[in-house]
Amino acid sequence: MKLVLIGAPAAGKGTQAARLVKHYGIAHISTGDMLREEVAKGTELGNQAKSIMAAGGLVSDELIIAIVQERIKKDDCAKGFILDGFPRTVVQAEKLEDMVKLDKVVYINAPDEVMLERLTARQTCPKCGATYNKMFLPSKVEGICDVCGEKLTQRKDDTVEAGQKRIQTFHEQSEPLVGFYEKEGILFEVDGTMPIDEITKAIIAGLDA
């Protein structure tokens, strides 16, 4: 099964991807996580991406397509994968079509104000990458990761100003993907304001239909 998750920042793509990976036994490919890893390592790619990401922008098509192309060749993608954060534009979607045939595209849809509220409440573990949200998915001990006990941090691009820009960027560059995949006949939409468990059930029901 080869899937793409579409949604504005904080729509819950990462949370749902982690659950679908367990349910279907496929690989999770998060371009955001891959880029942040490059930034942390201080690679040439990471340095190029760092300033763009901090300002809420998108890295170039060439960079991200090259990363994805290499990633889907790895052994853990043999049974399938979930792409989270790619494609972000119709141009990228067309390039992806040249690389692989997708089975389904899931659009997690929610209003802008919900996205912004979630974004600014989000916390991340710098050590293991676990994500939390002070509103609806808090850690058991405030500010401490449940998984490894590390102190939680807020990403630089989870401020109100950067969040507004990221949501605006989504509408301008990524929302056209909804129409693109509707024409392909492989898109289905899920209400992103539902509780996390209900979203998971709705996605699985749509994929298994």
Side-chain angles (χ1 to χ4, degrees):
M1 188 181 281
K2 298 175 181 69
L3 311 173
V4 164
L5 292 183
I6 300 174
K13 298 186 297 296
T15 300
Q16 295 303 327
R19 289 172 169 222
L20 295 172
V21 161
K22 279 186 184 174
H23 185 82
Y24 291 108
I26 55 181
H28 177 202
I29 303 174
S30 165
T31 50
D33 287 350
M34 286 159 69
L35 284 168
R36 281 187 285 277
E37 196 178 312
E38 297 292 327
V39 170
K41 287 180 186 170
T43 64
E44 187 182 343
L45 171 62
N47 292 333
Q48 286 179 54
K50 190 175 184 179
S51 56
I52 301 167
M53 290 166 68
L58 298 178
V59 298
S60 74
D61 285 352
E62 292 77 15
L63 278 176
I64 205 74
I65 288 163
I67 288 173
V68 171
Q69 204 157 15
E70 286 307 305
R71 181 65 184 85
I72 63 175
K73 290 177 187 171
K74 293 194 175 175
D75 292 345
D76 64 339
C77 293
K79 288 184 182 176
F81 53 79
I82 298 174
L83 273 165
D84 160 17
F86 180 90
R88 287 183 186 256
T89 64
V90 171
V91 171
Q92 290 180 359
E94 289 168 346
K95 293 281 187 188
L96 181 61
E97 280 200 327
D98 293 337
M99 288 189 248
V100 70
K101 181 173 168 52
L102 296 172
D103 295 301
K104 289 280 185 180
V105 176
V106 182
Y107 175 34
I108 306 174
N109 193 7
D112 289 359
E113 59 271 20
V114 174
M115 299 295 109
L116 193 60
E117 202 175 358
R118 287 180 184 174
L119 265 178
T120 51
R122 185 156 66 178
Q123 293 177 305
T124 308
C125 176
K127 189 175 178 183
C128 74
T131 56
Y132 302 89
N133 192 289
K134 289 184 268 190
M135 289 167 54
F136 59 86
L137 195 67
S139 54
K140 288 170 186 168
V141 178
E142 191 179 341
I144 302 296
C145 178
D146 296 346
V147 181
C148 67
E150 189 79 5
K151 190 176 179 183
L152 299 175
T153 58
Q154 187 178 43
R155 278 167 37 183
K156 287 177 184 172
D157 54 356
D158 281 345
T159 61
V160 173
E161 190 178 8
Q164 285 171 330
K165 186 172 180 188
R166 289 171 68 202
I167 290 168
Q168 185 186 343
T169 301
F170 170 79
H171 287 308
E172 289 169 0
Q173 298 193 23
S174 301
E175 211 160 30
L177 289 169
V178 176
F180 177 85
Y181 284 120
E182 270 179 339
K183 283 180 187 170
E184 299 284 312
I186 57 172
L187 181 122
F188 74 93
E189 189 173 316
V190 176
D191 179 2
T193 64
M194 295 190 298
I196 292 171
D197 288 346
E198 294 303 310
I199 295 173
T200 307
K201 284 178 192 169
I203 292 174
I204 290 169
L207 293 177
D208 292 348

